[in-house]
Each structure stands twice: as C-alpha cells, then as structure tokens.
Amino acid sequence: EAGVVQSPRYKIIEKKQPVAFWCNPISGHNTLYWYLQNLGQGPELLIRYENEEAVDDSQLPKDRFSAERLKGVDSTLKIQPAELGDSAVYLCASSLDYTSKPEQFFGPGTRLTVL
Amino acid sequence: RKEVEQDPGPFNVPEGATVAFNCTYSNSASQSFFWYRQDCRKEPKLLMSVYSSGNEDGRFTAQLNRASQYISLLIRDSKLSDSATYLCAVATGGFKTIFGAGTRLFVKA
C-alpha cells in the first residue's frame, strides 16, 4: 500500500515569493492534516480536513496561508507571500477516520527554506 | 503550561539498557494516546497506540495513567537502531491531536 505522498521534498525561495505544497493521502483515508514542524519541536497542526471540509483551521495564519482539498482526496497548502519565519518542514498526514481510527500516517514532508 | 510535555533529553544509554520516557498531558478529557518515532530528517512513524491502560509490542511497552495524566514508553534491551526522537501525541475530546516536542534517545555501543 502506498504511503502519503508529498511534493516537492525541498523548496528554496526568496521572501515575499509564493510557494505551494501538494499532498496525496493514503487511499481511503478520509482525514487529512497539514502540520508545520520546526527543529527540535513536535508537529503543530495547521489544518485538518474531513473529506473536503476543513474542520479545524484555527492555527492556520489565514492572512498568508491557504489550503484546499477540493475533491476530498489530494490537498494543496499555499503560502503567499512567504516570510523568513516560514522556514520549516511542512508535513502532511492522513488517517482512516478521526473518531474511530485516529492513527496518523505521515508523508516525508517538504523542507522549506525562505531566504 | 504546554498541553503535552516531554523531557527533551537527550537520554544516552548503552546497548542492552532499559530506558523509560514520560509524557504528561493537561487535558483530562483526552481520549487517545500515541507514541511516534522520528529519525533525523525523516517523518514521524507510528510506534504504538495506547487506548486502555497499556500496550506491549516486543521490547516496547506503553502505559497510561489517567489519574496522573501521563503516558510512558519503556524500551527494554535497547538497540543501536532505537536511537531516534520519540514523540508522544494526545488526542483530546475536541478531536485535536497535540504532539509533544519529543525526547531524544542515543543508544551507544
């Protein structure tokens, strides 16, 4: 069974530029998560989707971050414009069902460097 | 106080040692508990789920103490390959999963 797929794996941009990350969850997983992880810290939730509905986006900085999961499968996270402090690893995870099977499986992440 | 707290370590232990990590959580309504392993520059991988008082998988034992609001992870007969960061994750009644900052383990030959 294929795992969570993310692209790109690495991205280097200059500040104020836009950037987008893509995630394809494990087939059949209804719940999709975007996390941000800084060095030495645990993953911090940005947004959680149940199918195509964003059910928890309270930690998403909506002035510059946006996300979508239009058909309830793959998802895109965008930052526009990027700031120096956005440099981090952006992780996507999926779970079968948040209530009954909440175990999360992570993709390899996208390592973003903002110069 | 953070919602989920872990001792950052690092824990430096010799091969064959037994090592234990604790993770405390603040939300008494928390329902599900997990341990993840994260290797350097890799993604977290699920190690164990803890739904009742405890769970055992080979050399790894996780225990849950709801009264004191902590979970623990015990690793017996440590291997060099156990060197990693161990993250605990706690899912609250509001369906939010909070991760701790992780505990680093180094197993030495």
Side-chain angles (χ1 to χ4, degrees):
Chain A
E1 180 181 287
V4 177
V5 179
Q6 288 188 250
S7 67
R9 294 292 308 278
Y10 304 91
K11 191 73 177 179
I12 301 174
I13 61 171
E14 294 188 346
K15 63 180 181 183
K16 300 185 181 180
Q17 294 300 304
V19 64
F21 314 126
W22 177 80
C23 171
N24 196 35
I26 293 172
S27 178
H29 280 199
N30 297 323
T31 309
L32 183 147
Y33 315 76
W34 282 104
Y35 288 92
L36 175 155
Q37 186 174 26
N38 286 304
L39 190 64
Q41 300 297 315
E44 298 173 29
L45 182 70
L46 290 171
I47 190 168
R48 173 168 69 92
Y49 282 94
E50 293 291 339
N51 298 302
E52 66 275 8
E53 183 182 359
V55 295
D56 184 355
D57 63 355
S58 57
Q59 301 302 311
L60 189 73
K62 297 181 183 65
D63 57 336
R64 298 184 300 107
F65 286 65
S66 64
E68 60 182 17
R69 192 185 185 199
L70 294 176
K71 297 182 179 179
V73 181
D74 58 340
S75 175
T76 302
L77 177 69
K78 297 179 181 177
I79 308 175
Q80 183 170 11
E83 296 179 352
L84 295 176
D86 296 332
S87 295
V89 177
Y90 290 82
L91 293 162
C92 179
S94 69
S95 62
L96 187 62
D97 179 286
Y98 190 87
T99 53
S100 60
K101 280 285 189 181
E103 287 84 352
Q104 298 180 34
F105 298 89
F106 286 83
T110 296
R111 187 172 298 272
L112 174 67
T113 302
V114 182
L115 303 175
Chain B
R1 180 186 173 189
K2 292 183 179 179
E3 291 185 73
V4 177
E5 291 198 77
Q6 296 184 249
D7 183 339
F11 285 64
N12 292 286
V13 303
E15 272 188 296
T18 296
V19 62
F21 312 132
N22 277 342
C23 170
T24 60
Y25 60 95
S26 60
N27 190 332
S28 59
S30 299
Q31 296 179 338
S32 306
F33 309 87
F34 310 92
W35 283 102
Y36 285 79
R37 171 197 169 119
Q38 186 170 29
D39 292 293
C40 188
R41 300 181 74 87
K42 298 288 188 181
E43 72 273 22
K45 292 189 189 300
L46 181 67
L47 185 62
M48 299 180 77
S49 304
V50 188
Y51 287 106
S52 56
S53 61
N55 193 14
E56 184 173 326
D57 182 6
R59 298 183 295 109
F60 298 83
T61 300
Q63 291 194 315
L64 168 64
N65 186 317
R66 287 189 184 272
S68 300
Q69 294 184 202
Y70 76 85
I71 57 172
S72 63
L73 178 68
L74 182 78
I75 305 175
R76 291 181 296 276
D77 188 22
S78 299
K79 312 291 185 190
L80 293 175
S81 57
D82 293 333
S83 297
T85 296
Y86 291 84
L87 300 164
C88 77
V90 177
T92 68
F95 306 122
K96 181 184 288 289
T97 301
I98 309 293
F99 284 81
T103 297
R104 296 191 71 184
L105 171 66
F106 293 101
V107 181
K108 303 172 293 183

